Each structure stands twice: as structure tokens, then as C-alpha cells.
Amino acid sequence: MLPFRSRAQELNRRLRAPVKAFFSHLCERKAAFGHFITLVMCCCFRPAKYGELIVLGCNGSLPSGDKGRRKSRFALCRRTKSNGVKPSTVHTSCTPQAAKAISNKEQHSISYTLSRVQTVVVEYTHDSNTDMFQIGRSTENPIDFVVTDTLPGGQGQADGPSVQSTISRFACRIICQRHPPYTARIYAAGFDSSKNIFLGEKAAKWRMQDGQMDGLTTNGVLVMHPRQGFIQDSKPGLWREISVCGNVFTLRETRSSQQRGKKVDVESNELVDGSLIDLCGATLLWRTGEGLSHTPTVKHLEALRQELNAGRPQCPVGFNTLAFPSLRRKDILDEKQPWAYLRCGHVHGYHGWGGRRNPEVEEECVERECPMCRTQGPYVPLWLGCEAGLYVDAGAPTHAFVPCGHVCSEKTTSYWSQIPLPHGTHTFHAACPFCIQPLGGDTGCVRLIFQSPLD
């Protein structure tokens, strides 16, 4: 028998390898567990996305390109530090406290001018539970999302002294709850660089039963909530006007009328997936974070384009193969560009014959005669809709809007052709969401008929 010391050394030698392996395995598991904890923390504490605002008529980007705060799409995410505000003290007369609230650049306030000698000032205090985002035409720092007038055809209106915009410099503000379910509410008017909102003597304003004041901006902020959300079978709701305090009203006779509409108590200013916000010159689509998770991506739209081109559609007259250009070349005509007769839907390659000239008009009339069915109608190039956030489904691009020729899914064309979008200060009409061109024809869209290659 070995001495006790020798037996201890032998036991230590035999146990060293498995113990070492055990601790090595434990260290590996610990490292993996650490990576798991890190991943969980990143997922739990990364900034939440409240939603996104998409400008109708830009089709994925502004004509001059997205730059800084001026872009076609704006994401609202939880801020590092909350900047939300809520109403507090009401000053019904021109007291020193009221004057101090207006002059204090660290104090948010709204001033309601009732007459030359009476102004009601409402102080706003910090709300640690909300984040505030402001939208308007101004490029000053308080504006998070700079929006300019959008013209039909996807052409943004340039800023200049000769341009009279109908969009307010501080058009509206959106207040988002910092915690689930991340409710977003919209209010008319935004705070300027001095953290003030001024409603002049001519603006529509009134006193509510609880003593608070409320009012409307010059051209108003209109909102339309879709019924049943922003999905395939959604139906458009009614356009309403939102007040400075977030109350809901029926539309005024004209956008700038001093007489407000009737208060709608059963509706709220809470934005839902697919809500439309009109600023009298530009219309924005609100998409929630959850809604965007079910929306087709640009990658999916590119896959649909490649699948459509893989079918090698042909011009039924010239027998040349047609192909939709890439999404990056959305405004550049290609020699293989598909063209279509929008009255019947037959897809061709470009040709210069078959037009009908109007003797009273120097330019050639857009009416053409389809060589397949002899139907006369607009003959335009086809463009794929590139803004994925405007789609209500992920269906194949089978239909086109009339008369612009933007192509997307059947459900998407059906949905947008039912929505009367505000136009100017007093009219409404359906329009293509990709370019804001007013829709024509019986339904505003047409099913495309492609000619497959002959075997």
C-alpha cells in the first residue's frame, strides 16, 4: 500500500483532468450566458420606435434627396431624456406671472389673444412620461421634421420668396407615451424657438368648461383614421380637425374659417396605424412600429420586381422583352420600360404611333388607340411604387393607378382609390399615394394585362 502522501498525490493527479475540464466548460457556459444577457439587455433597453411618418407623393425620397430633417420619411423613437409637456397654470389676465411665462425661454406656454386688452396664457410643465415631436415648415431647431408643400407628380415645391406656402411654420406636435403601448397623440400647432404658441385675435378660439382654453390654427390640422386599421380590407374614415388641445371637431366650412365645427366626443386624437395627417399642402401617413413589422420591405418589393421581369413580358406588337427598371432608377425611362394603355390595361413597349392630335392644341394628345383592342385612352410608362410603407399588403404588382401609371398590388390600389385626400383649402379628391396626382377613370386604377412570350 502506498503511503498516505503518495496516495494523495495520485488522487490529485486523477482528479485534475476532469476538474479542469469541468471548470473550463463552466467558463464557456458563463461566457455564452454573458452574451445572452447582453443580447437581452440590448433588446430590452434599446430605443423604442413609436412609429414613422411618411410624406405622400415622394415615392421613397424627396426629388432633391433626403437631407437632415427634411426627408420623405421620419422615424419617431424614444428620446434619451423625455421632453414632453402638459398644461398646468392658466392666467386669465395680463399678470406679471403671465408675462414672465411668455418671456421665459425655458417655460412652454400658449397665448390666446381674445382682444387687444385681454390675453389668456396657459403654462405648460414638463411631463417625464412623454416625448414630444414637432412638425412644420420652419427649419428652426424646435422642428424635428421639416415638411414642405408637395405638388402632384412627385415634385416637391422649392422654398423661395415668391412661393406662398400654406403649411404652417409650426404646424403640429405629436406626444408619445414613453412606455408601452407607446400611445401617440396629435395636437395642432407647435412651440417656437421661445417655447411659445401664439393664437392671434383672428384665430378661432374658445374657453372650455374646465377653464382651459382651446383653439384652431389658420389652415387647420386634419386627421383621418382608417376603419379596422391599415390592412387589406380597411375602409377610410371621416376627416376631422384637431385643435390645439387635441380635441376632435368636424371640418369647418373652409380651412381658415373662424367658426369651428362641432365637437366629436366619441373620437380622440390618438393616432392609429394608417392615420392620415393633412397640413394643408402636405399629407403624412402614420405607421406604428407594429404595423411596419407586417409591411413589405424594399427588399420584398425588389424581389417582386425581379420575379415580374423573370416572366419576360413582351410587347404584343414589337415582340421585344420588357423589364421594370430597378427601384433606384424609379424616374429614369429605360428602353425596356413597360408602357400601358390605362383604359384597357394592355402593356406594350414604347411606340410613337396611334396618337390622336387635337387641332386646337399644339402638343400631341395623350389619347392613344390600343393596337390590341382598339380602345382609346391614356398611354403612359409604368413605374413601380417604391415606398413600401404605403402598401396595405405584400401582393404582386398587378394594378396601376390612372393616369400616373404607378404600379402596386390590387389591394393597395383599391384602398387608396377610395380615400378623398384634401386638395387646396376646400376640395377633396382621390390621388395616387406615390405622386399625389389626382386619379381619373371609373375606379382610379386598372388591372394590367401582360403578354407572355410565346413558346
Side-chain angles (χ1 to χ4, degrees):
M1 178 178 295
L2 293 174
F4 175 81
R5 182 182 182 88
S6 300
R7 282 185 293 169
Q9 291 177 348
E10 179 66 16
L11 181 63
N12 183 40
R13 184 184 64 79
R14 292 183 179 182
L15 291 178
R16 186 179 302 169
V19 170
K20 184 178 180 180
F22 170 76
F23 277 101
S24 177
H25 177 68
L26 184 62
C27 291
E28 292 178 359
R29 294 292 299 272
K30 183 179 179 181
F33 185 73
H35 289 305
F36 173 74
I37 293 297
T38 303
L39 179 62
V40 171
M41 293 182 65
C42 290
C43 293
C44 294
F45 295 99
R46 67 183 178 184
K49 177 184 285 190
Y50 303 126
E52 291 190 13
L53 290 170
I54 302 172
V55 182
L56 299 190
C58 297
N59 199 19
S61 64
L62 297 178
S64 58
D66 292 347
K67 302 175 183 177
R69 292 174 294 159
R70 187 172 306 197
K71 59 186 71 173
S72 65
R73 192 167 182 160
F74 176 68
L76 283 69
C77 299
R78 183 166 53 194
R79 298 183 184 276
T80 305
K81 183 179 180 181
S82 65
N83 70 332
V85 294
K86 56 185 177 181
S88 58
T89 308
V90 179
H91 303 277
T92 57
S93 59
C94 298
T95 62
Q97 292 81 2
K100 182 179 179 181
I102 296 176
S103 60
N104 186 2
K105 294 185 178 181
E106 300 301 322
Q107 173 73 56
H108 288 84
S109 66
I110 301 181
S111 302
Y112 300 85
T113 303
L114 303 180
S115 65
R116 294 183 179 179
V117 296
Q118 185 179 10
T119 299
V120 176
V121 179
V122 180
E123 290 186 29
Y124 276 67
T125 185
H126 177 250
D127 185 2
S128 60
N129 295 319
T130 62
D131 287 335
M132 180 172 64
F133 302 88
Q134 299 204 143
I135 301 100
R137 179 171 48 88
S138 173
T139 57
E140 296 182 22
N141 290 333
I143 295 299
D144 299 285
F145 188 24
V146 179
V147 179
T148 55
D149 297 72
T150 305
L151 299 180
Q155 298 297 320
Q157 184 169 314
D159 292 331
S162 62
V163 176
Q164 186 66 36
S165 176
T166 51
I167 300 176
S168 174
R169 296 175 64 245
F170 302 91
C172 67
R173 62 195 190 278
I174 295 177
I175 305 294
C176 300
Q177 291 291 331
R178 288 174 59 86
H179 307 289
Y182 305 118
T183 303
R185 296 182 180 274
I186 185 170
Y187 300 81
F191 295 97
D192 60 18
S193 298
S194 300
K195 297 186 178 181
N196 295 320
I197 294 176
F198 294 97
L199 291 183
E201 189 174 349
K202 295 183 179 180
K205 68 187 79 66
W206 59 92
R207 191 186 302 273
M208 296 184 289
Q209 294 180 351
D210 58 358
Q212 290 280 355
M213 294 293 297
D214 201 357
L216 304 174
T217 55
T218 302
N219 288 327
V221 175
L222 307 187
V223 174
M224 190 278 288
H225 305 302
R227 300 172 185 172
Q228 292 133 7
F230 194 68
I231 56 177
Q232 298 183 21
D233 300 321
S234 298
K235 298 294 181 182
L238 298 175
W239 283 98
R240 304 298 193 191
E241 183 166 7
I242 304 298
S243 70
V244 173
C245 293
N247 293 308
V248 182
F249 295 86
T250 59
L251 302 186
R252 292 179 273 181
E253 291 186 1
T254 61
R255 293 289 289 253
S256 58
S257 174
Q258 294 187 8
Q259 183 63 38
R260 71 178 187 270
K262 295 181 179 180
K263 193 171 185 296
V264 184
D265 294 319
V266 295
E267 299 181 19
S268 73
N269 63 336
E270 180 180 342
L271 297 175
V272 299
D273 191 36
S275 292
L276 288 172
I277 304 169
D278 186 78
L279 305 179
C280 195
T283 305
L284 314 179
L285 173 67
W286 168 258
R287 297 303 310 273
T288 62
E290 181 181 359
L292 288 171
S293 65
H294 302 292
T295 299
T297 62
V298 175
K299 184 177 180 179
H300 177 75
L301 298 183
E302 174 63 19
L304 292 177
R305 182 190 75 87
Q306 294 180 7
E307 182 180 354
L308 187 60
N309 289 344
R312 299 178 62 247
Q314 288 187 341
C315 175
V317 176
F319 298 108
N320 52 307
T321 301
L322 308 176
F324 281 93
S326 66
L327 300 183
R328 294 181 179 180
R329 297 171 58 87
K330 59 181 181 179
D331 298 323
I332 303 176
L333 277 173
D334 189 88
E335 59 180 4
K336 295 184 178 181
Q337 186 93 23
W339 288 62
Y341 290 89
L342 298 183
R343 191 67 58 80
C344 59
H346 283 110
V347 180
H348 291 68
Y350 176 76
H351 54 78
W353 45 268
R356 297 289 183 269
R357 291 182 177 275
N358 187 336
E360 299 180 358
V361 181
E362 294 183 1
E363 296 182 359
E364 186 177 355
C365 180
V366 296
E367 294 287 320
R368 296 286 186 92
E369 184 178 87
C370 175
M372 297 294 292
C373 63
R374 315 294 289 181
T375 301
Q376 294 185 13
Y379 174 67
V380 300
L382 299 178
W383 306 95
L384 286 174
C386 301
E387 180 51 75
L390 302 178
Y391 283 71
V392 299
D393 68 340
T398 58
H399 286 63
F401 286 105
V402 178
C404 60
H406 279 105
V407 180
C408 57
S409 66
E410 178 183 6
K411 293 290 186 179
T412 300
T413 56
S414 176
Y415 176 76
W416 287 102
S417 61
Q418 301 177 63
I419 298 180
L421 295 175
H423 178 68
T425 58
H426 60 279
T427 60
F428 293 79
H429 56 61
C432 170
F434 300 107
C435 67
I436 299 297
Q437 188 167 344
L439 300 183
D442 298 331
T443 61
C445 56
V446 62
R447 183 177 68 87
L448 299 175
I449 304 175
F450 291 91
Q451 177 71 40
S452 300
L454 299 177
D455 296 332

